[in-house]
Amino acid sequence: MRIINSPSLAAFRHRNFRLFYSGQIISLIGFWMQNIALSWVVLELTNSPVLLGLVTFIQFLPNLLFSLFAGVIVDRWPRRTVIVGTQATFMILALILTLLSLNDILRYWHIIVFSILMGVTQSIDVPARQAFLVEMVGKNDLINAIALNSSMFNAARVIGPALGGIVLAAYGATACFFINTVSFAFVIGGLLAMKLEKRIIETANKDVLGQIKEGIGYIWRTPTVFIPMVLLASLSITAMNFGVLIPVFARDVLGQGPDGFGGLVSAQGLGSLAGAVILVILTGKRCQLKLLWLGATGLSLFQILLGQMHWYWATAALLVGAGWSMITLSSSVNSLIQIQVPDELRGRVMSVYSISFIGLSSLGGMFAGAVAKRYGAQLAFTLGGLLALLATVILARKWRRLKQSYTNK
């Protein structure tokens, strides 16, 4: 009990968050096992980094198209009900993927359809889960819940790919898909076991487009939300294309198989976990602002260095740094936004966060895949890092001018 009373673990005082955390970490391990198996299957079926990039683009494209409308759904409907629905849909899709693979009839076009359906569901699920955190823990422990949520995601990101690589090499992709199917039962069970206060929904009678405009208008008028959001969006496009580049880099540059590929993804996840743990400890706003810019700069520089690598362990070490930088950036943006946004706008604002963090990476994935096919994965890493560094410098200068204007008032 004394451990739970620690400020770094404050969100665990809430039973609902404990249920969410324990169920979600099992589900996320299954998700990462499925993700690594699917990437490898696509590469084996097509032998094309462009087509692998297309899968990423297709999966995240619905996030671009539907997230703003999803934000309205999240603000209009009970958020737990929405999440139970999305998690059940993920389970059904994973089961279909398992059956197709088990019967050896899984084809590339199946994966494209699967990715579209996953993307549509994810466009609703991500803002719903982010907005739901405050209902589980309240505003006082919200920043800690965001940091712990990130630590959970990245712990799974370490365990899932490593376990997925082993299972993929020993038993094949079908086993990874099946484990993911079963894992969703835990998160759904945890959600249904929660006891929640009824949330008052004030915007249900407003028109959808008006609600979307209201959320975007809030971001546009709030520079302390707008600049971090643009920073995240810029680096999502340029420097968060690991899902496309790591499998190509592992196979073509480093000469690795599935287990080596899984090790690299786990290395990145290990860095992300370290970043999340640091954020759990450093919950102050001033620390988050420093970490925001440190994460953006680090991610850019690690990308550039990855483009120069030919050695497996050096690549793994750089991916640890890249993972730390990426989660430090994204979690800092998340925290800075959520502590400012009014609850009645939370779903819509977090839907824009979802677009910035996830949706726009689909465009970056296509760009990275095209560059990797024509010039190689090394140049794709280098070019992405240089563009990310340029965006970071420009936005850091804008932030400095904003800070000076507040100081002079």
Side-chain angles (χ1 to χ4, degrees):
M1 193 69 181
R2 188 177 298 174
I3 295 175
I4 294 179
N5 286 332
S6 166
S8 298
L9 301 174
F12 282 132
R13 292 197 295 259
H14 304 271
R15 175 181 177 271
N16 289 339
F17 185 77
R18 295 197 301 272
L19 287 169
F20 175 81
Y21 193 98
S22 57
Q24 193 74 23
I25 194 168
I26 296 171
S27 178
L28 285 170
I29 289 171
F31 165 80
W32 280 108
M33 292 180 69
Q34 174 178 282
N35 194 54
I36 192 173
L38 198 62
S39 294
W40 198 259
V41 167
V42 170
L43 207 54
E44 285 193 328
L45 286 174
T46 66
N47 195 34
S48 170
V50 172
L51 293 179
L52 177 58
L54 180 61
V55 170
T56 304
F57 175 76
I58 290 295
Q59 182 173 337
F60 293 146
L61 180 61
N63 192 286
L64 282 172
L65 299 177
F66 303 125
S67 277
L68 293 176
F69 296 96
V72 175
I73 293 172
V74 172
D75 284 337
R76 282 190 174 189
W77 289 78
R79 288 163 185 165
R80 176 174 60 175
T81 302
V82 173
I83 300 169
V84 169
T86 57
Q87 296 296 308
T89 304
F90 284 140
M91 176 186 276
I92 294 169
L93 292 173
L95 177 61
I96 294 171
L97 192 63
T98 302
L99 295 174
L100 290 172
S101 181
L102 180 65
N103 291 284
D104 199 26
I105 56 175
L106 181 62
R107 299 293 180 265
Y108 181 72
W109 73 266
H110 292 139
I111 296 172
I112 290 294
V113 173
F114 171 82
S115 298
I116 293 171
L117 296 174
M118 280 282 290
V120 172
T121 309
Q122 192 175 48
S123 69
I124 302 171
D125 182 71
V126 172
R129 280 191 290 114
Q130 293 294 336
F132 187 54
L133 288 173
V134 72
E135 292 186 43
M136 289 186 283
V137 302
K139 290 187 177 180
N140 289 338
D141 294 327
L142 178 59
I143 294 178
N144 182 248
I146 292 170
L148 287 170
N149 191 51
S150 295
S151 72
M152 168 186 64
F153 181 86
N154 290 291
R157 195 174 185 176
V158 174
I159 300 167
L163 186 58
I166 295 169
V167 173
L168 179 62
Y171 303 105
T174 305
C176 295
F177 300 153
F178 176 71
I179 291 171
N180 185 46
T181 303
V182 174
S183 73
F184 285 107
F186 294 91
V187 67
I188 292 172
L191 287 164
L192 294 176
M194 290 181 185
K195 296 178 181 178
L196 297 168
E197 295 182 6
K198 187 173 181 180
R199 181 170 64 94
I200 299 174
I201 301 172
E202 300 177 349
T203 57
N205 294 324
K206 295 183 180 178
D207 67 280
V208 173
L209 292 179
Q211 285 187 261
I212 291 174
K213 184 178 178 181
E214 189 178 10
I216 294 174
Y218 169 80
I219 296 170
W220 181 261
R221 294 189 306 270
T222 314
T224 52
V225 172
F226 179 75
I227 293 176
M229 195 83 85
V230 173
L231 178 68
L232 182 62
S234 301
L235 269 68
S236 291
I237 295 172
T238 57
M240 296 187 187
N241 304 310
F242 298 105
V244 174
L245 294 180
I246 290 179
V248 181
F249 197 88
R251 189 190 66 174
D252 296 347
V253 178
L254 304 177
Q256 297 293 315
D259 50 348
F261 166 44
L264 291 179
V265 178
S266 290
Q268 185 192 1
L270 183 63
S272 298
L273 177 60
V277 170
I278 291 171
L279 287 168
V280 169
I281 299 169
L282 303 175
T283 57
K285 184 177 178 181
R286 292 184 65 182
C287 289
Q288 288 170 341
L289 284 171
K290 292 177 182 178
L291 289 170
L292 172 76
W293 297 109
L294 185 61
T297 304
L299 182 58
S300 305
L301 295 177
F302 283 122
Q303 284 265 316
I304 294 169
L305 292 173
L306 279 166
Q308 321 312 311
M309 286 299 106
H310 293 88
W311 304 281
Y312 181 83
W313 291 110
T315 300
L318 289 173
L319 284 170
V320 171
W324 176 88
S325 300
M326 185 170 71
I327 201 62
T328 298
L329 169 64
S330 61
S331 294
S332 296
V333 172
N334 190 340
S335 296
L336 288 168
I337 290 172
Q338 290 235 45
I339 60 177
Q340 298 180 73
V341 64
D343 190 57
E344 64 270 15
L345 295 173
R346 195 174 301 275
R348 282 162 282 174
V349 172
M350 296 315 296
S351 72
V352 178
Y353 172 87
S354 177
I355 292 172
S356 301
F357 187 32
I358 298 173
L360 290 176
S361 65
S362 62
L363 301 177
M366 284 297 292
F367 169 74
V371 174
K373 180 176 176 61
R374 187 170 181 85
Y375 301 107
Q378 288 177 293
L379 183 61
F381 269 131
T382 302
L383 181 59
L386 289 171
L387 292 172
L389 186 60
L390 177 62
T392 300
V393 170
I394 292 172
L395 290 167
R397 293 180 66 181
K398 267 187 85 70
W399 183 269
R400 183 178 298 174
R401 287 197 296 269
L402 174 68
K403 185 178 178 182
Q404 288 173 345
S405 68
Y406 278 123
T407 303
N408 294 332
K409 287 182 180 179

